[in-house]
Amino acid sequence: MANLGIPQNTIAILQKYNFNFQKKFGQNFLIDTNVLDKIISSAQITKDDCVLEIGPGIGTMTQYLAESAGEVVAVEIDKALIPILQDTLQEYDNVTVINDDILKVDINKIVQERNAGRPIKVVANLPYYITTPIIMGLFESHVPLKSITIMVQKEVADRMQVGPGTKDYGALSLAVQYYAKPEIVANVPPNCFIPRPNVGSAVIRLTRYDEPPVQVKDESKMFALIRASFNQRRKTLVNGLGNAAGLNVSKEQVLQALEQMGLSATVRGETFTLEQFAKLSDLLGE
Ligand code: SAM
C-alpha cells in the first residue's frame, strides 16, 4: 500500500471511496511525511511497544506505527472509515481496528487483553473537540501508560506546558503536570493537513511519572480546589474558594491556611504552583 503521508496517495484514497469529511468528528488528515517521522521518533516507538492510536482516520499514522511498533490498536468512531482502513492497512498483521468512541471504550481492558496489563504508549493526531476529556480520561482512569505523544491545537499544547503567572496557565496545566512531564516537540502549520484546520497545531509528548512530583493526601480534593480556583480566575483564592459550591470550605478556613503557608490574603490561583495547591489541599483537609 502506498504511503498515505504523501498527499497524492491520500487524495487517491479519498476519491476511490468518495469519502466525505465529517466536521463533527474533527477530521483533519496528516499529509506530511516529515511530521509523521517526527511523531514516531519523538514517541520512541520500538517493536517492544503496544501502541493505542486514537482516531486513525484513513490509516496514515497507523501505517507508520505498524512499521515500528510490536502491536497497534486503533480506535475510530466513524464507521465510514472502517472499510478504508481494511484496505490501507491490509498488509499489516499487527494492527487491530476497533470501531467505537474512545470516550466510551474501556481502555484498561484493551491494555489487559493486548499487552497483559503492561504500560502502553498512546500516539494520536487527536480530534481537537475532545482533546481535554481524552487526556484527562487516560490519566484519571489510571491506564498503564509510558507516554502520550499527540497532535493538539497549538494553544492547548501551550496550556499543558506553562507554569504559574502566564495567561495560559490553568487547571489543564496543573492536571497534566501532576501526572506527566510535558514537552512540545514540533509546531505544525495548517498546510500539513487535509482539510486545513483554522488553527495552528503542535505535537506534545507527555511522559508519565512513576511517582507524582508532589505528595498530596487527597488527590481528588486537590483537583476540586484547582478547578474551583480557575473557574473564578479573576477572584482572589479566599473569595473564589470560599464561595465555591460543593467544596465545603469557608473564607476563614482559606485565609487561615494561606496564613500558615506565609502567603498574602490577596493571592490568586493563577500564581499558585502545584506544590502550593497540594499544601493548601492538605491544610484544608485537616
Ligand atoms: N490519524 C489520522 C491522521 O492523522 O490523518 C486522523 C486524525 S483526525 C485529526 C481525528 C480522527 O479521530 C478522525 O479520524 C475522527 O473520525 C476520529 N475521531 C473523532 N472523534 C472520535 C472519538 N470520539 N473516538 C474515536 N475516534 C474519533
Side-chain angles (χ1 to χ4, degrees):
M1 170 52 63
N3 178 347
L4 295 167
I6 296 163
Q8 294 87 313
N9 295 337
T10 281
I11 290 164
I13 284 288
L14 297 174
Q15 283 173 346
K16 177 175 172 190
Y17 287 91
N18 200 11
F19 180 74
N20 288 315
F21 285 98
Q22 300 262 11
K23 222 176 166 177
K24 66 171 179 190
F25 290 145
Q27 291 176 339
N28 302 93
F29 299 162
L30 258 171
I31 41 163
D32 189 300
T33 53
N34 291 326
V35 174
L36 286 152
D37 285 334
K38 179 77 188 168
I39 294 172
I40 301 297
S41 65
S42 306
Q44 296 159 359
I45 306 293
T46 72
K47 286 285 167 194
D48 287 334
D49 288 315
C50 172
V51 175
L52 169 67
E53 186 188 9
I54 298 162
I58 58 171
T60 313
M61 195 151 70
T62 329
Q63 293 180 332
Y64 281 70
L65 290 168
E67 296 280 348
S68 39
E71 184 162 2
V72 183
V73 180
V75 179
E76 173 56 60
I77 198 170
D78 185 355
K79 68 173 185 309
L81 287 166
I82 304 304
I84 304 183
L85 287 165
Q86 270 159 8
D87 181 358
T88 61
L89 301 173
Q90 58 181 307
E91 66 197 53
Y92 301 106
D93 58 8
N94 59 345
V95 179
T96 308
V97 175
I98 299 173
N99 182 203
D100 211 333
D101 179 344
I102 192 65
L103 296 178
K104 297 199 178 129
V105 290
D106 183 345
I107 303 174
N108 276 305
K109 194 166 152 224
I110 293 178
V111 179
Q112 209 40 261
E113 286 170 1
R114 299 279 156 183
N115 207 33
R118 292 189 306 272
I120 56 153
K121 287 183 177 170
V122 174
V123 182
N125 169 16
L126 284 185
Y128 293 172
Y129 73 108
I130 43 169
T131 301
T132 302
I134 291 175
I135 297 171
M136 294 318 298
L138 287 166
F139 286 137
E140 284 170 359
S141 56
H142 293 103
V143 171
L145 278 177
K146 288 185 199 158
S147 62
I148 303 177
T149 306
I150 40 176
M151 178 86 71
V152 296
Q153 207 175 313
K154 169 83 177 86
E155 196 191 307
V156 178
D158 289 339
R159 265 193 262 153
M160 289 190 239
Q161 209 191 22
V162 292
T166 54
K167 74 168 176 28
D168 289 328
Y169 186 61
L172 182 65
S173 330
L174 284 152
V176 164
Q177 291 165 29
Y178 179 72
Y179 292 108
K181 178 170 157 228
E183 291 159 285
I184 294 179
V185 292
N187 286 320
V188 183
N191 63 5
C192 294
F193 302 87
I194 180 170
R196 295 181 183 194
N198 44 24
V199 291
S201 302
V203 179
I204 188 165
R205 179 179 60 212
L206 311 175
T207 310
R208 184 85 160 89
Y209 290 128
D210 292 331
E211 290 294 329
V214 301
Q215 295 297 314
V216 62
K217 288 189 188 119
D218 183 345
E219 218 173 272
S220 60
K221 186 180 178 81
M222 177 178 76
F223 282 115
L225 281 177
I226 289 173
R227 276 192 295 272
S229 305
F230 288 97
N231 273 343
Q232 313 206 33
R233 237 193 138 86
R234 309 211 58 81
K235 291 195 174 155
T236 63
L237 270 184
V238 173
N239 286 331
L241 298 180
N243 287 334
L247 266 189
N248 285 328
V249 295
S250 65
K251 285 187 184 184
E252 290 67 35
Q253 285 170 308
V254 181
L255 207 52
Q256 204 183 355
L258 291 178
E259 222 166 75
Q260 278 176 268
M261 292 170 71
L263 294 168
S264 136
T266 59
V267 288
R268 290 172 205 277
E270 61 202 20
T271 67
F272 247 50
T273 62
L274 186 56
E275 290 76 11
Q276 288 173 317
F277 273 113
K279 178 81 184 148
L280 180 67
S281 170
D282 284 353
L283 287 170
L284 290 173
E286 276 169 7

